[in-house]
Amino acid sequence: MHITDLQWGVTIAFILGLLAYDFFFHVRKAHEPTIKEAAVWSAVYVGLALAFGLVILWWDGPQFAAEYYGGYITEKALSVDNLFVFLIIMASFKVPRADQQKVLLFGIIFAIIARTIFILLGAAAIERWSWVFYLFGLILIYTAGNLIKGEITDTEEDEANNFVVRLAKKLFHTVDYYDGDKLFTVENGKKVMTPMLLVMVAIGGTDILFALDSIPAIFGLTQEAYIVFTATAFSLMGLRQLYFLIDGLLDRLIYLSWGLSIILAFIGVKLLLHALHENTLGFINNGQPVHVFEIEIHHSLIVIVGVLVITVLASLYSPKGKALGTIQRVQTLSQKYLDLPADASTEERAKIQSQLEEATAKSRKIPQKYRDELIESETEYQDLVARARGEHETYMS
């Protein structure tokens, strides 16, 4: 089925309108969104994405609708994984909480632009050279292997100090303090870069790397550029609100990388099977198509959704997941008590302290292997709890 220019035009205008609305009504004035605001707008964007799938069903039929939903779910899962990196980058640059929205919106816009370019290049390559499916499949299997390797070896990359950031620091004079949300400021009469510009450069650089993984993944589910573009764009819309909504829950998804690696490997195999079915390479079956089993889109949807559900449940309810939840609760309650205003009531203090004591008692039952793995610094962890307990004892006395 052919996608008309009118359909393309209406869709692009709608997405640009959403981005413009997001900027002028939410991001332009620096502030930290409340949980309620983040939850409402996350639901709105997810609802729009799901409703758009029904529009595709009406416009283009059930096959394209199924491909859109499969692509959207896959890209949404990958975008949640990207939030981990955004979190690391903004923590490394110590971005003020109120200004993080603008950084995230820039990241989303840059990601849409970068991925649109990759989509157009990928679609053109697929139309001209069918062997590109082999390349995409191998890229996904390689990426899946790297995700597993990272989990097994527990290696961490300095995402906030990538090549683009190092180059920017060498070419331009930078300062280490923020001037509101300005990208440049004046120091000693000279225009210099602020960390706000550097963090945007860091996120822009990582967005390009993300596109190298995500675009082959969705081309494994559909070869229609319009479906690839819309599923990718809608998966990124609302990512800013989702960041503030699940900020404290991101670390709980301890098996997300495992789940994503399975999904990427599955789509990689699907692409290789499709490449064999469309084969034109002379050294494979004398350049003739290889009649192999091809995975249908409804099978892909079942696998993707099933893996994600199992990943989330395992992350939250496995012994390791429960241990992490308890440790995080102890840290959250301790910090919550320390952040209480001086005029906080006795009842409020007693309630938080009671919850903290209960969580602390529960944390003592956590096996040592999990404590060693999940607590970055046992000394700092115990010090945080002791300070909260000591402040309560001082208040009560």
Side-chain angles (χ1 to χ4, degrees), residues 17 34 68 77 111 140 197 210 216 234 251 253 260 263 296 300 316 327 366 369:
T34 63
Y68 166 80
L140 292 183
L197 181 56
F210 291 150
F234 276 103
D251 290 338
L253 301 178
L260 290 178
I263 291 172
E296 300 294 335
S300 300
L316 297 179
I327 291 168
I366 295 175
K369 65 175 183 177

Side-chain angles (χ1 to χ4, degrees), residues 61-366:
Q63 178 67 23
F64 276 2
E67 291 176 0
Y68 166 80
Y69 282 123
Y72 171 74
I73 294 170
T74 300
E75 293 296 307
K76 197 68 175 178
L78 289 170
S79 69
V80 171
D81 192 45
N82 297 352
L83 286 182
F84 282 101
V85 180
F86 290 168
L87 184 65
I88 294 169
I89 290 174
M90 287 194 282
S92 300
F93 281 99
K94 297 181 174 61
V95 180
R97 188 76 170 172
D99 294 323
Q100 289 181 3
Q101 288 201 94
K102 186 165 289 186
V103 175
L104 286 167
L105 184 61
F106 166 81
I108 291 168
I109 293 173
F110 190 90
I112 290 176
I113 294 172
R115 295 182 193 199
T116 299
I117 294 172
F118 276 97
I119 288 167
L120 295 175
L121 293 175
I126 286 171
E127 187 173 349
R128 187 168 183 180
W129 305 296
S130 61
W131 56 261
V132 170
F133 287 116
Y134 286 113
L135 179 61
F136 281 0
L138 293 174
I139 287 174
L140 292 183
I141 292 173
Y142 175 77
T143 303
N146 273 345
L147 283 172
I148 294 176
K149 180 182 176 183
E151 288 297 304
I152 294 174
T153 60
D154 200 25
T155 55
E156 293 185 5
E157 296 181 6
D158 188 359
E159 302 287 355
N161 193 32
N162 60 38
F163 170 75
V164 182
V165 173
R166 293 196 299 270
L167 182 62
K169 287 180 177 178
K170 287 182 179 179
L171 295 178
F172 304 99
H173 181 55
T174 62
V175 293
D176 57 1
Y177 59 86
Y178 288 88
D179 185 5
D181 59 0
K182 294 179 181 178
L183 304 181
F184 294 91
T185 190
V186 177
E187 184 182 63
N188 299 326
K190 293 183 179 181
K191 196 173 185 179
V192 294
M193 284 197 311
T194 69
M196 182 61 70
L197 181 56
L198 284 177
V199 71
M200 288 186 175
V201 170
I203 284 182
T206 54
D207 275 335
I208 295 175
L209 297 178
F210 291 150
L212 293 174
D213 298 335
S214 67
I215 297 307
I218 192 169
F219 267 119
L221 300 172
T222 177
Q223 283 80 61
E224 174 55 55
Y226 177 79
I227 302 299
V228 175
F229 172 75
T230 52
T232 301
F234 276 103
S235 73
L236 292 168
M237 302 296 293
L239 198 60
R240 176 182 62 79
Q241 293 85 350
L242 187 64
Y243 173 87
F244 289 97
L245 179 63
I246 66 173
D247 188 359
L249 295 176
L250 281 175
D251 290 338
R252 294 289 306 278
L253 301 178
I254 54 177
Y255 296 120
L256 181 62
S257 291
W258 287 94
L260 290 178
S261 68
I262 293 171
I263 291 172
L264 291 178
F266 168 77
I267 298 176
V269 171
K270 184 178 187 295
L271 273 171
L272 292 179
L273 291 173
H274 182 72
L276 288 169
H277 197 268
E278 302 290 327
N279 180 62
T280 57
L281 294 179
F283 59 88
I284 298 178
N285 198 33
N286 296 320
Q288 298 300 311
V290 182
H291 299 293
V292 294
F293 172 76
E294 282 209 86
I295 303 170
E296 300 294 335
I297 185 62
H298 60 276
H299 294 142
S300 300
L301 268 172
I302 293 171
V303 171
I304 292 167
V305 172
V307 169
L308 287 176
V309 169
I310 292 171
T311 298
V312 172
L313 292 177
S315 295
L316 297 179
Y317 298 107
S318 66
K320 183 179 177 181
K322 289 181 178 179
L324 179 59
T326 300
I327 291 168
Q328 288 182 334
R329 179 166 174 76
V330 170
Q331 293 171 321
T332 300
L333 289 171
S334 298
Q335 194 60 55
K336 185 177 180 180
Y337 192 96
L338 294 172
D339 291 340
L340 284 174
D343 59 350
S345 66
T346 302
E347 291 77 10
E348 184 178 6
R349 291 176 180 274
K351 180 181 178 181
I352 296 175
Q353 184 60 26
S354 175
Q355 293 173 335
L356 176 57
E357 290 299 330
E358 181 182 344
T360 303
K362 191 175 180 181
S363 72
R364 295 192 187 100
K365 301 176 183 178
I366 295 175

Side-chain angles (χ1 to χ4, degrees), residues 334 338 377-390:
S334 298
L338 294 172
S377 171
E378 183 75 36
T379 303
E380 293 180 6
Y381 174 79
Q382 295 296 345
D383 178 65
L384 180 66
V385 176
R387 284 192 292 121
R389 185 181 290 114

